[in-house]
Amino acid sequence: MSKIKIRGHDIFIDIQSELEEFEWYRAKWSHNKLIAASPFRYDRSPSFFVLLEENGDYPAGSWSDSGAYDDEWKSGGIVKLLSFLRNETYEETQEYLLSKYSESSNNGDIILILPRLQMDAFKRVLHHDIIERQASPYLTKRGISREVQAEAKVGKSRHHGFVAIPWHSPDGRLSNVKYRATQGKTFFYERNARPIRELVFGADLYNRSYDDLIICEAEIDALSWRVAGYNAVAVGGVSFTQQQTDIIRRLPFSRLIVAGDNDKAGARFNAQVVQALQGRDLAVIQWRKCSFKDANDILVNRGIGGLVEAYEDALDLSTLNLPHIRMSHSIR
């Protein structure tokens, strides 16, 4: 366990355990360092490292990417890294870590982290004109049709080199925007907007003509399923919160098909969704027959037919033995 300061509190975090929740390409673990290909770029060489223990002036969790495209993602700390890996805002990752590790210190003393008292539904109103509606060549290259992009109101970002992917409340109000880099994998969200943990991407696009609903982690995967003609939503990360559960429950689907990524984090996501929605008709996408990492990977490499095959191979919950996963709750 390593001491990390979060919002003025010294929290002891198992950094290696947190990093082991995710897949690393060409990973080499030692007692004090992880060396691997960069998670921020389409990298094939071990050009990235994370300190698992404090080293001089560098606290545990410090990382560096020698091939970074810009200074913003050249180095940082464990919270920034985990926020990227978990596909959530920096503040949401802080809350995750505080919730998980703040129960006690290394000497057994109780640490009480008080929740935030302010609970505004929207920190500020977002206007649709912050996004210039037009198809993204980046998404088109990844197989997302112009029609699906238009339906999701994807657009050009005012930030150079990023595509704007809007998140709406079920009633259609613009609640947040994810800015996804067109070079590399980095992203950020609109500041002071409604947290992603309180939203479900695509809930406002539900087509009542279809009985099934596919739920996945990332927006681009939901858009990929929509290219294949399916109802699909995303939660934006590897956690499934109570607010997202409530939104999903109100959608008029007959069967929910759970489609987390083809990795350890995706398997845990599947288990979280299954646990939260027990009692509904559920099925889970199976990845045993392929090496693709997610729905968009299938779309790019095998086309719509590959997604149709994955959908048809989904197994009903009664045939599966998923691990028990505790629901994720964020500090309020």
Side-chain angles (χ1 to χ4, degrees):
M1 303 286 277
S2 300
K3 185 171 68 174
I4 304 295
K5 188 176 289 293
I6 301 178
R7 295 180 184 167
H9 300 279
D10 289 330
I11 307 297
F12 290 86
I13 295 174
D14 188 341
I15 292 176
Q16 181 166 338
S17 175
E18 291 296 330
L19 297 179
E20 286 176 342
E21 297 289 317
F22 304 93
E23 303 291 333
W24 297 90
Y25 180 70
R26 298 191 64 181
K28 181 179 179 180
W29 297 86
S30 65
H31 73 282
N32 63 350
K33 184 183 292 187
L34 164 64
I35 300 175
S38 171
F40 308 127
R41 299 175 285 111
Y42 296 99
D43 184 23
R44 307 294 294 179
S45 61
S47 57
F48 174 85
F49 75 83
V50 188
L51 296 179
L52 305 178
E53 299 178 354
E54 182 180 354
N55 185 355
D57 294 333
Y58 296 96
S62 299
W63 54 266
S64 178
D65 183 0
S66 63
Y69 294 137
D70 57 69
D71 290 342
E72 175 67 20
W73 293 94
K74 188 175 182 178
S75 62
I78 189 62
V79 178
K80 183 175 182 179
L81 175 58
L82 287 178
S83 71
F84 171 83
L85 296 173
R86 292 172 57 81
N87 196 10
E88 61 192 10
T89 66
Y90 188 90
E91 291 75 19
E92 286 173 313
T93 301
Q94 287 182 318
E95 293 181 358
Y96 158 73
L97 293 172
L98 287 171
S99 176
K100 183 174 181 178
Y101 291 103
S102 63
E103 294 182 357
S104 63
S105 65
N106 64 337
N107 61 7
D109 295 335
I110 298 299
I111 299 176
L112 178 62
I113 307 297
L114 296 177
R116 298 177 180 179
L117 298 180
Q118 189 172 355
M119 295 180 62
D120 294 333
F122 287 89
K123 293 185 177 180
R124 66 186 177 93
V125 175
L126 298 182
H127 298 284
H128 285 88
D129 59 7
I130 67 174
I131 300 175
E132 182 181 347
R133 295 275 296 278
Q134 62 177 263
S136 164
Y138 167 75
L139 291 181
T140 302
K141 185 177 180 180
R142 293 187 63 167
I144 310 302
S145 68
R146 297 175 68 91
E147 293 76 14
V148 167
Q149 292 185 51
E151 183 182 42
K153 301 179 178 64
V154 168
K156 181 180 179 181
S157 170
R158 63 186 185 276
H159 306 281
H160 180 69
F162 289 81
V163 58
I165 303 176
W167 283 64
H168 295 87
S169 298
D171 61 5
R173 287 185 293 178
L174 180 61
S175 300
N176 208 325
V177 180
K178 181 176 184 177
Y179 298 101
R180 174 66 159 79
T182 57
Q183 182 181 28
K185 305 177 184 180
T186 57
F187 63 88
F188 63 94
Y189 292 100
E190 189 72 25
R191 296 187 61 185
N192 300 319
R194 188 166 182 174
I196 294 300
R197 64 173 180 266
E198 299 177 6
L199 301 168
V200 172
F201 176 81
D204 58 309
L205 304 175
Y206 191 90
N207 188 333
R208 294 175 182 267
S209 300
Y210 302 96
D211 292 331
D212 287 351
L213 173 66
I214 299 174
I215 181 171
C216 44
E217 299 172 45
E219 308 93 331
I220 294 180
D221 291 321
L223 293 173
S224 298
W225 286 111
R226 296 186 70 83
V227 168
Y230 301 108
N231 267 324
V233 296
V235 302
V238 297
S239 294
F240 188 51
T241 67
Q242 187 60 54
Q243 294 97 325
Q244 292 168 330
T245 301
D246 293 341
I247 293 173
I248 295 295
R249 285 188 180 278
R250 289 194 290 268
L251 295 176
F253 62 88
S254 296
R255 183 176 67 153
L256 183 70
I257 299 177
V258 189
D261 290 355
N262 186 18
D263 56 22
K264 292 183 291 184
R268 285 187 296 275
F269 168 79
N270 289 348
Q272 281 189 337
V273 175
V274 166
Q275 181 183 339
L277 293 168
Q278 292 180 53
R280 301 299 296 264
D281 188 0
L282 302 173
V284 180
I285 292 290
Q286 301 300 295
W287 297 101
R288 295 189 301 263
K289 297 181 180 180
C290 70
S291 59
F292 301 113
K293 60 185 180 67
D294 54 35
N296 186 249
D297 198 21
I298 293 178
L299 179 62
V300 170
N301 289 281
R302 293 196 56 201
I304 290 175
L307 289 174
V308 173
E309 182 179 345
Y311 166 82
E312 293 178 345
D313 287 341
L315 294 180
D316 291 338
L317 179 61
S318 60
T319 66
L320 299 173
N321 182 24
L322 294 173
H324 178 79
I325 302 292
R326 182 173 62 89
M327 267 294 291
S328 171
H329 294 283
S330 298
I331 295 174
R332 296 291 179 261

mmCIF file of all heavy atoms in Angstrom, residues 87-108:
data_model
loop_
_atom_site.group_PDB
_atom_site.id
_atom_site.type_symbol
_atom_site.label_atom_id
_atom_site.label_comp_id
_atom_site.label_asym_id
_atom_site.label_seq_id
_atom_site.Cartn_x
_atom_site.Cartn_y
_atom_site.Cartn_z
ATOM 1 N N ASN A 87 -12.202 5.518 -17.705
ATOM 2 C CA ASN A 87 -13.037 6.289 -18.623
ATOM 3 C C ASN A 87 -14.024 7.166 -17.864
ATOM 4 O O ASN A 87 -15.237 7.153 -18.107
ATOM 5 C CB ASN A 87 -13.785 5.356 -19.587
ATOM 6 C CG ASN A 87 -14.338 6.106 -20.788
ATOM 7 O OD1 ASN A 87 -14.013 7.269 -21.011
ATOM 8 N ND2 ASN A 87 -15.171 5.453 -21.568
ATOM 9 N N GLU A 88 -13.499 7.960 -16.943
ATOM 10 C CA GLU A 88 -14.331 8.850 -16.153
ATOM 11 C C GLU A 88 -13.567 10.130 -15.852
ATOM 12 O O GLU A 88 -12.382 10.251 -16.173
ATOM 13 C CB GLU A 88 -14.781 8.159 -14.862
ATOM 14 C CG GLU A 88 -13.640 7.740 -13.949
ATOM 15 C CD GLU A 88 -14.076 6.814 -12.829
ATOM 16 O OE1 GLU A 88 -15.231 6.328 -12.854
ATOM 17 O OE2 GLU A 88 -13.265 6.557 -11.922
ATOM 18 N N THR A 89 -14.231 11.087 -15.235
ATOM 19 C CA THR A 89 -13.580 12.345 -14.932
ATOM 20 C C THR A 89 -12.591 12.181 -13.780
ATOM 21 O O THR A 89 -12.680 11.226 -13.002
ATOM 22 C CB THR A 89 -14.600 13.426 -14.550
ATOM 23 O OG1 THR A 89 -15.230 13.062 -13.317
ATOM 24 C CG2 THR A 89 -15.651 13.593 -15.638
ATOM 25 N N TYR A 90 -11.689 13.140 -13.666
ATOM 26 C CA TYR A 90 -10.696 13.122 -12.592
ATOM 27 C C TYR A 90 -11.389 13.107 -11.233
ATOM 28 O O TYR A 90 -10.999 12.358 -10.325
ATOM 29 C CB TYR A 90 -9.806 14.362 -12.731
ATOM 30 C CG TYR A 90 -8.603 14.408 -11.818
ATOM 31 C CD1 TYR A 90 -7.379 13.875 -12.219
ATOM 32 C CD2 TYR A 90 -8.678 14.997 -10.563
ATOM 33 C CE1 TYR A 90 -6.269 13.928 -11.391
ATOM 34 C CE2 TYR A 90 -7.578 15.063 -9.728
ATOM 35 C CZ TYR A 90 -6.370 14.520 -10.150
ATOM 36 O OH TYR A 90 -5.279 14.579 -9.322
ATOM 37 N N GLU A 91 -12.438 13.918 -11.102
ATOM 38 C CA GLU A 91 -13.159 14.019 -9.829
ATOM 39 C C GLU A 91 -13.872 12.711 -9.498
ATOM 40 O O GLU A 91 -13.920 12.308 -8.321
ATOM 41 C CB GLU A 91 -14.170 15.170 -9.893
ATOM 42 C CG GLU A 91 -13.548 16.554 -9.949
ATOM 43 C CD GLU A 91 -12.956 16.889 -11.310
ATOM 44 O OE1 GLU A 91 -13.329 16.225 -12.314
ATOM 45 O OE2 GLU A 91 -12.117 17.814 -11.382
ATOM 46 N N GLU A 92 -14.408 12.039 -10.489
ATOM 47 C CA GLU A 92 -15.077 10.763 -10.238
ATOM 48 C C GLU A 92 -14.080 9.704 -9.781
ATOM 49 O O GLU A 92 -14.399 8.871 -8.924
ATOM 50 C CB GLU A 92 -15.813 10.314 -11.491
ATOM 51 C CG GLU A 92 -17.078 11.110 -11.763
ATOM 52 C CD GLU A 92 -17.713 10.778 -13.093
ATOM 53 O OE1 GLU A 92 -16.984 10.727 -14.108
ATOM 54 O OE2 GLU A 92 -18.932 10.569 -13.124
ATOM 55 N N THR A 93 -12.874 9.722 -10.324
ATOM 56 C CA THR A 93 -11.854 8.784 -9.883
ATOM 57 C C THR A 93 -11.421 9.084 -8.457
ATOM 58 O O THR A 93 -11.186 8.161 -7.659
ATOM 59 C CB THR A 93 -10.633 8.824 -10.826
ATOM 60 O OG1 THR A 93 -11.060 8.494 -12.147
ATOM 61 C CG2 THR A 93 -9.571 7.827 -10.391
ATOM 62 N N GLN A 94 -11.298 10.363 -8.108
ATOM 63 C CA GLN A 94 -11.009 10.713 -6.719
ATOM 64 C C GLN A 94 -12.058 10.117 -5.787
ATOM 65 O O GLN A 94 -11.726 9.537 -4.749
ATOM 66 C CB GLN A 94 -10.969 12.232 -6.554
ATOM 67 C CG GLN A 94 -9.745 12.916 -7.131
ATOM 68 C CD GLN A 94 -9.773 14.411 -6.881
ATOM 69 O OE1 GLN A 94 -10.817 15.057 -7.019
ATOM 70 N NE2 GLN A 94 -8.630 14.959 -6.504
ATOM 71 N N GLU A 95 -13.312 10.253 -6.163
ATOM 72 C CA GLU A 95 -14.392 9.741 -5.320
ATOM 73 C C GLU A 95 -14.353 8.215 -5.227
ATOM 74 O O GLU A 95 -14.604 7.641 -4.158
ATOM 75 C CB GLU A 95 -15.739 10.214 -5.852
ATOM 76 C CG GLU A 95 -15.911 11.728 -5.722
ATOM 77 C CD GLU A 95 -17.260 12.213 -6.232
ATOM 78 O OE1 GLU A 95 -18.040 11.370 -6.709
ATOM 79 O OE2 GLU A 95 -17.510 13.424 -6.137
ATOM 80 N N TYR A 96 -14.020 7.562 -6.332
ATOM 81 C CA TYR A 96 -13.877 6.101 -6.316
ATOM 82 C C TYR A 96 -12.791 5.677 -5.330
ATOM 83 O O TYR A 96 -12.996 4.778 -4.499
ATOM 84 C CB TYR A 96 -13.558 5.600 -7.721
ATOM 85 C CG TYR A 96 -12.891 4.248 -7.762
ATOM 86 C CD1 TYR A 96 -13.609 3.093 -7.482
ATOM 87 C CD2 TYR A 96 -11.529 4.132 -8.059
ATOM 88 C CE1 TYR A 96 -12.994 1.842 -7.501
ATOM 89 C CE2 TYR A 96 -10.908 2.895 -8.088
ATOM 90 C CZ TYR A 96 -11.640 1.756 -7.802
ATOM 91 O OH TYR A 96 -11.029 0.525 -7.817
ATOM 92 N N LEU A 97 -11.633 6.311 -5.395
ATOM 93 C CA LEU A 97 -10.527 5.939 -4.521
ATOM 94 C C LEU A 97 -10.821 6.265 -3.060
ATOM 95 O O LEU A 97 -10.501 5.482 -2.155
ATOM 96 C CB LEU A 97 -9.238 6.632 -4.980
ATOM 97 C CG LEU A 97 -8.695 6.175 -6.343
ATOM 98 C CD1 LEU A 97 -7.541 7.061 -6.787
ATOM 99 C CD2 LEU A 97 -8.260 4.711 -6.295
ATOM 100 N N LEU A 98 -11.426 7.419 -2.819
ATOM 101 C CA LEU A 98 -11.791 7.779 -1.446
ATOM 102 C C LEU A 98 -12.799 6.789 -0.878
ATOM 103 O O LEU A 98 -12.693 6.363 0.276
ATOM 104 C CB LEU A 98 -12.358 9.196 -1.404
ATOM 105 C CG LEU A 98 -11.354 10.338 -1.592
ATOM 106 C CD1 LEU A 98 -12.084 11.666 -1.752
ATOM 107 C CD2 LEU A 98 -10.376 10.409 -0.426
ATOM 108 N N SER A 99 -13.764 6.407 -1.695
ATOM 109 C CA SER A 99 -14.782 5.464 -1.241
ATOM 110 C C SER A 99 -14.168 4.098 -0.931
ATOM 111 O O SER A 99 -14.545 3.447 0.035
ATOM 112 C CB SER A 99 -15.863 5.326 -2.314
ATOM 113 O OG SER A 99 -16.813 4.358 -1.961
ATOM 114 N N LYS A 100 -13.212 3.672 -1.735
ATOM 115 C CA LYS A 100 -12.638 2.330 -1.584
ATOM 116 C C LYS A 100 -11.591 2.245 -0.485
ATOM 117 O O LYS A 100 -11.514 1.241 0.228
ATOM 118 C CB LYS A 100 -12.030 1.896 -2.921
ATOM 119 C CG LYS A 100 -11.456 0.478 -2.908
ATOM 120 C CD LYS A 100 -11.007 0.055 -4.291
ATOM 121 C CE LYS A 100 -10.460 -1.362 -4.297
ATOM 122 N NZ LYS A 100 -10.063 -1.796 -5.656
ATOM 123 N N TYR A 101 -10.786 3.319 -0.321
ATOM 124 C CA TYR A 101 -9.613 3.218 0.545
ATOM 125 C C TYR A 101 -9.641 4.094 1.793
ATOM 126 O O TYR A 101 -8.694 4.056 2.579
ATOM 127 C CB TYR A 101 -8.354 3.578 -0.248
ATOM 128 C CG TYR A 101 -7.985 2.557 -1.295
ATOM 129 C CD1 TYR A 101 -8.253 2.795 -2.643
ATOM 130 C CD2 TYR A 101 -7.367 1.364 -0.952
ATOM 131 C CE1 TYR A 101 -7.906 1.871 -3.609
ATOM 132 C CE2 TYR A 101 -7.014 0.435 -1.909
ATOM 133 C CZ TYR A 101 -7.286 0.693 -3.243
ATOM 134 O OH TYR A 101 -6.936 -0.234 -4.198
ATOM 135 N N SER A 102 -10.689 4.867 2.000
ATOM 136 C CA SER A 102 -10.644 5.826 3.106
ATOM 137 C C SER A 102 -11.161 5.270 4.422
ATOM 138 O O SER A 102 -11.287 5.996 5.393
ATOM 139 C CB SER A 102 -11.452 7.077 2.759
ATOM 140 O OG SER A 102 -12.827 6.743 2.577
ATOM 141 N N GLU A 103 -11.475 3.979 4.487
ATOM 142 C CA GLU A 103 -12.042 3.437 5.716
ATOM 143 C C GLU A 103 -11.042 3.409 6.864
ATOM 144 O O GLU A 103 -11.398 3.592 8.023
ATOM 145 C CB GLU A 103 -12.582 2.034 5.462
ATOM 146 C CG GLU A 103 -13.774 2.017 4.512
ATOM 147 C CD GLU A 103 -14.320 0.626 4.313
ATOM 148 O OE1 GLU A 103 -13.720 -0.316 4.876
ATOM 149 O OE2 GLU A 103 -15.321 0.487 3.604
ATOM 150 N N SER A 104 -9.786 3.172 6.553
ATOM 151 C CA SER A 104 -8.805 3.134 7.636
ATOM 152 C C SER A 104 -7.433 3.476 7.108
ATOM 153 O O SER A 104 -7.151 3.333 5.927
ATOM 154 C CB SER A 104 -8.766 1.750 8.294
ATOM 155 O OG SER A 104 -8.344 0.777 7.375
ATOM 156 N N SER A 105 -6.565 3.940 7.982
ATOM 157 C CA SER A 105 -5.187 4.246 7.617
ATOM 158 C C SER A 105 -4.331 3.026 7.895
ATOM 159 O O SER A 105 -4.816 1.998 8.353
ATOM 160 C CB SER A 105 -4.680 5.439 8.437
ATOM 161 O OG SER A 105 -4.632 5.104 9.804
ATOM 162 N N ASN A 106 -3.042 3.124 7.634
ATOM 163 C CA ASN A 106 -2.172 1.960 7.812
ATOM 164 C C ASN A 106 -1.977 1.589 9.278
ATOM 165 O O ASN A 106 -1.532 0.492 9.593
ATOM 166 C CB ASN A 106 -0.813 2.202 7.151
ATOM 167 C CG ASN A 106 -0.055 3.338 7.799
ATOM 168 O OD1 ASN A 106 -0.631 4.221 8.429
ATOM 169 N ND2 ASN A 106 1.259 3.314 7.638
ATOM 170 N N ASN A 107 -2.301 2.466 10.225
ATOM 171 C CA ASN A 107 -2.180 2.119 11.635
ATOM 172 C C ASN A 107 -3.513 1.773 12.270
ATOM 173 O O ASN A 107 -3.636 1.634 13.476
ATOM 174 C CB ASN A 107 -1.510 3.267 12.415
ATOM 175 C CG ASN A 107 -2.322 4.555 12.353
ATOM 176 O OD1 ASN A 107 -3.441 4.562 11.845
ATOM 177 N ND2 ASN A 107 -1.760 5.634 12.869
ATOM 178 N N GLY A 108 -4.559 1.637 11.414
ATOM 179 C CA GLY A 108 -5.848 1.211 11.910
ATOM 180 C C GLY A 108 -6.767 2.334 12.346
ATOM 181 O O GLY A 108 -7.923 2.090 12.701
#
